[in-house]
Amino acid sequence: MFTSALPALRRAPLVFGRGLSTSSTFSPLARTSLLQSTALSPSAPSLLRNQLIVRGAASQVSGRPGSQTVGHAAQNIREEVGQSAADLAKSIAGGNVFQDNVEPTQQTFLGITNAVAHSVPTPYVVFGLAGGLPYLGASGATIYLARQAGVAAQGLVPNIDPGVALTVLDQALNIQVTYGAVLLSFLGALHWGFEFAGFGGQKYYPRLLLGAAPVVFGWSTLALEPIHALIAQWVGFTGLWWADLRATGAGWTPKWYSQYRFYLSILVGTCIIGSLAATSYWGPVGSHGLTSHDLNMIRAERKQHQPEKEGKVAGEIEALPAPEDADKYVVVKKKENEGSENSEGEQ
């Protein structure tokens, strides 16, 4: 009875070469009754052929059907992208996602993220965001001052000295770097708190070293130039989040901690990238953007248009009345040597 279906299978497109399955349409009892009815009904061969030539499973694991049309392909792409996003949310959460806290219909990126976020105590969220506000303000100030320093260095704003603008920008960068080092130290100290409280059991040296490493790393970045320090701290925040992710999976922290840390790290990382982009685009910063040679050329050009009206004259000086056509009353000049005048007169 299967002989009549073989020619149709040979003429089927190549997509049907995958393993065909009837499990998606019929139950085992229905398949048994179908096979029994093939010996009694003359139209059974065509029915069996239609049942066999069905959309095969593209994956033997997920059981999802293969793509035969553009619509099927788009549907499969949407399902795979959604599943990948859900897996990403589970990875961010440290794998601590269970069926009892996430509904089956909410197994999406937003559903999983929302479920884990609601498990974080509200005071922790409030103080975590409040702790990031100073860093956000320091980054905003750096971006603004970088633009002002760039405009001043190009001579577009005559009332702003390039040197002063660079000094203020350097101070803003140092404030951001210093607060970043404080944040790294605080995030490392949390692991000492977990160890002292015995959360997940006493881990001793491994967890104490995990808490001390960010302190040493953040402190060492203060010895670097501000731009290099920001790059190093970005690496530090990213590496510390990865360590927190592993610690959460090992049960050293609360189940929501890795996701909590992930979004705080996103906030800090975005601020660092914004500061680096602004100083590189607008600049200048010491050893970045316009070089010191360019700044010296700008200052020399300013001196030509606006000569300095004060300075230091070595030796004895004297004040003489200025000529009538001068724009000043007194001219200060170096006093001539009387001995040289007498020698010139004798000659």
Side-chain angles (χ1 to χ4, degrees), residues 170 173-182 184 215-233:
D170 185 70
L173 285 169
N174 285 323
I175 291 174
Q176 184 176 358
V177 169
T178 303
Y179 193 75
V182 172
L184 281 172
V215 179
V216 177
F217 182 84
W219 170 68
S220 63
T221 60
L222 299 178
L224 302 175
E225 293 183 358
I227 297 298
H228 297 160
L230 285 178
I231 297 174
Q233 288 185 2

Side-chain angles (χ1 to χ4, degrees), residues 1 12 72 89 102 146 167 172 177 187 214 226 238 247:
M1 57 185 171
H72 293 161
V102 181
T167 302
V177 169
L187 294 174
T238 304

Side-chain angles (χ1 to χ4, degrees), residues 145 164 187 246 260 287 334:
L145 293 174
V164 176
L187 294 174
R246 299 294 300 272
Y260 176 76
S287 74
K334 189 173 182 180

Side-chain angles (χ1 to χ4, degrees), residues 9 15 119 130 158 248 255 288 304:
L9 288 175
V15 70
S119 63
T248 303
K255 296 178 179 179
H288 293 271
Q304 293 179 0

Side-chain angles (χ1 to χ4, degrees), residues 17-33:
R18 294 188 290 265
L20 301 180
S21 173
T22 59
S23 59
S24 60
T25 306
F26 291 92
S27 64
L29 181 61
R31 290 200 301 272
T32 303
S33 60

Side-chain angles (χ1 to χ4, degrees), residues 190-191 194-195 198-208 210 243-244 246-255 257:
L190 289 177
H191 290 281
F194 292 141
E195 178 65 21
F199 189 93
Q202 299 292 337
K203 307 302 178 183
Y204 301 107
Y205 287 111
R207 186 149 58 179
L208 292 176
L210 177 60
D244 289 338
R246 299 294 300 272
T248 303
W252 293 10
T253 65
K255 296 178 179 179
Y257 186 70

